[in-house]
mmCIF file of all heavy atoms in Angstrom:
data_model
loop_
_atom_site.group_PDB
_atom_site.id
_atom_site.type_symbol
_atom_site.label_atom_id
_atom_site.label_comp_id
_atom_site.label_asym_id
_atom_site.label_seq_id
_atom_site.Cartn_x
_atom_site.Cartn_y
_atom_site.Cartn_z
ATOM 1 N N GLU U 69 2.992 12.587 -11.858
ATOM 2 C CA GLU U 69 2.417 13.949 -11.844
ATOM 3 C C GLU U 69 1.455 14.186 -12.994
ATOM 4 O O GLU U 69 0.949 15.320 -13.165
ATOM 5 C CB GLU U 69 3.559 14.976 -12.006
ATOM 6 C CG GLU U 69 4.799 14.724 -11.149
ATOM 7 C CD GLU U 69 4.547 15.080 -9.694
ATOM 8 O OE1 GLU U 69 4.595 16.316 -9.432
ATOM 9 O OE2 GLU U 69 4.231 14.170 -8.896
ATOM 10 N N ALA U 70 1.367 13.240 -13.894
ATOM 11 C CA ALA U 70 0.631 13.451 -15.176
ATOM 12 C C ALA U 70 -0.813 13.901 -14.881
ATOM 13 O O ALA U 70 -1.383 13.556 -13.891
ATOM 14 C CB ALA U 70 0.655 12.197 -15.930
ATOM 15 N N LYS U 71 -1.307 14.661 -15.850
ATOM 16 C CA LYS U 71 -2.650 15.143 -15.777
ATOM 17 C C LYS U 71 -3.558 14.099 -16.349
ATOM 18 O O LYS U 71 -3.480 13.697 -17.546
ATOM 19 C CB LYS U 71 -2.859 16.407 -16.601
ATOM 20 C CG LYS U 71 -2.259 17.691 -15.973
ATOM 21 C CD LYS U 71 -2.943 18.881 -16.692
ATOM 22 C CE LYS U 71 -2.143 20.132 -16.303
ATOM 23 N NZ LYS U 71 -1.479 20.776 -17.431
ATOM 24 N N VAL U 72 -4.460 13.578 -15.512
ATOM 25 C CA VAL U 72 -5.397 12.517 -15.982
ATOM 26 C C VAL U 72 -6.757 13.237 -16.253
ATOM 27 O O VAL U 72 -7.228 13.987 -15.420
ATOM 28 C CB VAL U 72 -5.615 11.507 -14.852
ATOM 29 C CG1 VAL U 72 -6.646 10.475 -15.309
ATOM 30 C CG2 VAL U 72 -4.261 10.773 -14.579
ATOM 31 N N THR U 73 -7.297 12.906 -17.425
ATOM 32 C CA THR U 73 -8.677 13.463 -17.711
ATOM 33 C C THR U 73 -9.517 12.255 -18.043
ATOM 34 O O THR U 73 -9.209 11.471 -18.936
ATOM 35 C CB THR U 73 -8.636 14.392 -18.928
ATOM 36 O OG1 THR U 73 -7.624 15.409 -18.742
ATOM 37 C CG2 THR U 73 -10.030 15.065 -19.138
ATOM 38 N N THR U 74 -10.631 12.162 -17.368
ATOM 39 C CA THR U 74 -11.576 11.044 -17.516
ATOM 40 C C THR U 74 -12.790 11.570 -18.302
ATOM 41 O O THR U 74 -12.898 12.805 -18.518
ATOM 42 C CB THR U 74 -12.064 10.489 -16.176
ATOM 43 O OG1 THR U 74 -12.863 11.401 -15.561
ATOM 44 C CG2 THR U 74 -10.864 10.073 -15.272
ATOM 45 N N ILE U 75 -13.626 10.741 -18.672
ATOM 46 C CA ILE U 75 -14.879 11.096 -19.339
ATOM 47 C C ILE U 75 -15.610 12.112 -18.553
ATOM 48 O O ILE U 75 -16.198 13.040 -19.130
ATOM 49 C CB ILE U 75 -15.799 9.862 -19.639
ATOM 50 C CG1 ILE U 75 -17.021 10.249 -20.470
ATOM 51 C CG2 ILE U 75 -16.192 9.116 -18.348
ATOM 52 C CD1 ILE U 75 -16.769 10.721 -21.873
ATOM 53 N N GLU U 76 -15.527 12.067 -17.255
ATOM 54 C CA GLU U 76 -16.206 13.091 -16.396
ATOM 55 C C GLU U 76 -15.649 14.477 -16.616
ATOM 56 O O GLU U 76 -16.288 15.469 -16.321
ATOM 57 C CB GLU U 76 -16.231 12.676 -14.932
ATOM 58 C CG GLU U 76 -17.051 11.494 -14.586
ATOM 59 C CD GLU U 76 -16.313 10.152 -14.679
ATOM 60 O OE1 GLU U 76 -15.164 10.148 -15.219
ATOM 61 O OE2 GLU U 76 -16.842 9.086 -14.139
ATOM 62 N N GLY U 77 -14.348 14.543 -17.038
ATOM 63 C CA GLY U 77 -13.715 15.832 -17.154
ATOM 64 C C GLY U 77 -13.620 16.260 -18.566
ATOM 65 O O GLY U 77 -13.289 17.494 -18.785
ATOM 66 N N VAL U 78 -13.845 15.418 -19.516
ATOM 67 C CA VAL U 78 -13.570 15.757 -20.876
ATOM 68 C C VAL U 78 -14.465 16.917 -21.371
ATOM 69 O O VAL U 78 -14.089 17.702 -22.275
ATOM 70 C CB VAL U 78 -13.660 14.488 -21.717
ATOM 71 C CG1 VAL U 78 -14.879 14.419 -22.603
ATOM 72 C CG2 VAL U 78 -12.417 14.217 -22.469
ATOM 73 N N GLY U 79 -15.705 17.018 -20.817
ATOM 74 C CA GLY U 79 -16.614 18.007 -21.271
ATOM 75 C C GLY U 79 -16.295 19.448 -20.894
ATOM 76 O O GLY U 79 -16.848 20.423 -21.370
ATOM 77 N N ALA U 80 -15.322 19.547 -19.936
ATOM 78 C CA ALA U 80 -14.861 20.948 -19.520
ATOM 79 C C ALA U 80 -14.038 21.584 -20.605
ATOM 80 O O ALA U 80 -13.812 22.720 -20.608
ATOM 81 C CB ALA U 80 -13.991 20.794 -18.221
#
Side-chain angles (χ1 to χ4, degrees):
Chain U
E69 316 285 281
K71 285 198 192 115
V72 176
T73 308
T74 68
I75 183 67
E76 288 89 349
V78 108

